[in-house]
Amino acid sequence: MDTTKGEGKLIVQKRDAALDCIRVVAILSVIVVHIAPSTVPIPQLAVFQEIGSLGVPLFVILTGYLMVDRDYNSDYLLRFIQRNLLPMFICLELWNVIWYILDRIFDSTEPARYYLKIALFLQVPKGPFWFLPMIFGLYLGIPLTSYLLHHFLAMKSHAYLYILMGCLLLTGTLIPTTNYVRMIMSGRSGLSSVLEMNIFGVNAWGGSVWMLYLLIGFGIQHFSSQLDKRLSTPWCLTGFVFSFFALLLFHLWARSRRVDESFFYTNVLVIVCSTFLFLALHKLNGLLTGLPRLSYCLARVSKLSFGVYMLHFWIFRALSSMAHSWFGLDTGYFLFVVLVFVCYLGSLVSVWVLSYIPLFRKWLLLMK
């Protein structure tokens, strides 16, 4: 069961199996994109990179879906700080220390000052750790974002809200997408907006676009009844398939011009594709509800997803080193499938064991 807040009262809701499914797909997507570059042959790598580029957007859309459309009155705001914001901050600092220790074990060349700068929010982290300061920045702005959105939506005139959304679209995706096209066609870059539309956001791997993903999640939740009427499951699947193939063609075009940009989080095609995928997966709730055992498994795995995100990178580094030294394997689909499976399973088991330690469960894994 989940607890949410509405109009100052605590409401108990039945767990949404589709949201668990989205988390599971998102974390699998992230694992795929981290393993594919070192195992999948280059001609087919683009497909796996596009699948992987949807993982973090799904997580952020889900955050907007769950966290923004709430009543952040004085009582609930204090509860949000205690249950969400403070644990996220402590979690970030603790994992930063853990990653420093793991870096030393794997003979990394990153100096201690690099991790000190991350702890003080003076450094954009390299590798998957960048997700934590980015999501913490969004959490800082969620109550204010929620208040402003509900205030402007309640007004008879939405002109100011349209202006804000237009600026966010311009800076978050239209200008960056134009810059990608410019890079591919002329080899020149540098086209960027001086506006930053994040509210307490972090300038990491896309900047303003994360606020856009957050608001997409809010829109899907807030206007769910209208979307259900206008967008059927076949339409959502069709939108996903067409946007995914368009994104793949875009990436192949970039690769043919030797522009190697793996993620394109700010690319308008990534935004459209991840949005349609979220909508399509969310429409599975009715089907999943009729499959209680599958829903139960998804819920258990979903609860461990954050910990899997934080650990899978190091488990993959250990596994890839073993595969190379013990079996002499460098690339190939067999190695890719084995590493994805073992890495996912190993991460799940590791997080599951850690979840039995109350302090780890609360402060490292963010499990309530």
Side-chain angles (χ1 to χ4, degrees):
M1 307 293 283
D2 286 344
T3 59
T4 60
K5 195 78 172 181
E7 299 180 356
K9 298 180 180 179
L10 190 65
I11 301 172
V12 180
Q13 293 182 334
K14 188 175 181 180
R15 192 173 183 91
D16 191 327
L19 300 184
D20 290 323
C21 181
I22 290 170
R23 285 193 192 93
V24 172
V25 171
I27 190 59
L28 182 60
S29 171
V30 170
I31 292 176
V32 164
V33 81
H34 290 153
I35 293 179
S38 59
T39 56
V40 174
I42 291 178
Q44 291 79 40
L45 180 58
V47 177
F48 296 92
Q49 287 180 321
E50 299 318 319
I51 293 173
S53 69
L54 304 178
V56 176
L58 284 177
F59 276 125
V60 181
I61 293 173
L62 185 60
T63 300
Y65 182 95
L66 291 172
M67 302 299 296
V68 179
D69 197 13
R70 298 189 180 191
D71 180 12
Y72 286 90
N73 58 29
S74 58
D75 292 335
Y76 186 62
L77 187 58
L78 179 60
R79 182 170 176 264
F80 170 79
I81 294 171
Q82 294 173 340
R83 288 176 55 86
N84 299 102
L85 192 60
L86 179 62
M88 179 66 73
F89 174 73
I90 295 175
C91 175
L92 188 156
E93 299 298 339
L94 290 176
W95 275 111
N96 190 39
V97 174
I98 293 171
W99 274 52
Y100 170 73
I101 295 171
L102 291 172
D103 248 352
R104 302 281 76 78
I105 294 173
F106 282 89
D107 298 323
S108 174
T109 58
E110 295 294 348
R113 65 177 178 273
Y114 165 79
Y115 288 94
L116 179 60
K117 288 171 126 180
I118 292 175
L120 299 174
F121 297 95
L122 298 173
Q123 171 78 49
V124 176
K126 302 174 185 176
F129 195 83
W130 70 271
F131 177 78
L132 251 66
M134 183 273 288
I135 204 69
F136 176 73
L138 290 179
Y139 266 58
L140 272 175
I142 279 175
L144 180 58
T145 303
S146 175
Y147 176 82
L148 292 174
L149 284 172
H150 285 98
H151 175 74
F152 288 127
L153 287 171
M155 295 171 62
K156 292 182 179 179
S157 175
H158 296 162
Y160 183 67
L161 185 60
Y162 294 150
I163 292 172
L164 285 177
M165 287 300 299
C167 289
L168 181 56
L169 285 168
L170 182 66
T171 61
T173 183
L174 297 181
I175 291 178
T177 303
T178 303
N179 186 52
Y180 292 144
V181 174
R182 185 170 181 255
M183 288 168 56
I184 295 170
M185 297 186 69
S186 65
R188 292 181 296 171
S189 183
L191 187 65
S192 62
S193 173
V194 297
L195 290 177
E196 271 293 340
M197 298 299 294
N198 281 359
I199 298 180
F200 305 119
V202 177
N203 186 22
W205 286 67
S208 299
V209 76
W210 301 116
M211 183 61 66
L212 182 58
Y213 284 118
L214 193 76
L215 295 187
I216 289 172
F218 165 80
I220 293 173
Q221 166 63 17
H222 192 79
F223 301 105
S224 58
S225 58
Q226 295 94 316
L227 289 173
D228 285 340
K229 293 177 182 178
R230 297 182 181 182
L231 288 176
S232 63
T233 301
W235 274 111
C236 292
L237 288 173
T238 301
F240 167 68
V241 170
F242 272 90
S243 57
F244 181 83
F245 276 105
L247 180 61
L248 178 60
L249 290 175
F250 187 94
H251 189 83
L252 292 173
W253 180 37
R255 185 177 290 276
S256 70
R257 302 299 294 266
R258 298 183 180 179
V259 177
D260 188 16
E261 186 71 34
S262 302
F263 295 99
F264 292 118
Y265 285 133
T266 53
N267 190 323
V268 66
L269 292 173
V270 174
I271 296 169
V272 173
C273 190
S274 55
T275 300
F276 273 118
L277 178 57
F278 186 98
L279 289 167
L281 291 174
H282 190 257
K283 288 181 176 293
L284 294 177
N285 190 52
L287 174 64
L288 294 173
T289 303
L291 301 170
R293 291 186 179 180
L294 178 59
S295 297
Y296 174 78
C297 292
L298 288 173
R300 294 297 298 271
V301 174
S302 171
K303 291 179 180 179
L304 304 176
S305 293
F306 177 77
V308 171
Y309 182 94
M310 298 310 302
L311 280 181
H312 80 275
F313 179 72
W314 300 102
I315 291 177
F316 164 61
R317 287 188 65 174
L319 289 173
S320 60
S321 178
M322 291 167 54
H324 177 69
S325 59
W326 292 6
F327 305 105
L329 297 174
D330 289 317
T331 60
Y333 287 110
F334 175 75
L335 178 62
F336 168 76
V337 172
V338 169
L339 284 178
V340 168
F341 177 77
V342 178
C343 183
Y344 200 178
L345 183 62
S347 301
L348 281 173
V349 172
S350 301
V351 176
W352 175 70
V353 172
L354 291 174
S355 69
Y356 281 93
I357 304 173
L359 287 176
F360 288 179
R361 180 183 180 88
K362 180 177 181 180
W363 301 111
L364 279 180
L365 306 177
L366 299 179
M367 296 174 65
K368 299 178 177 64

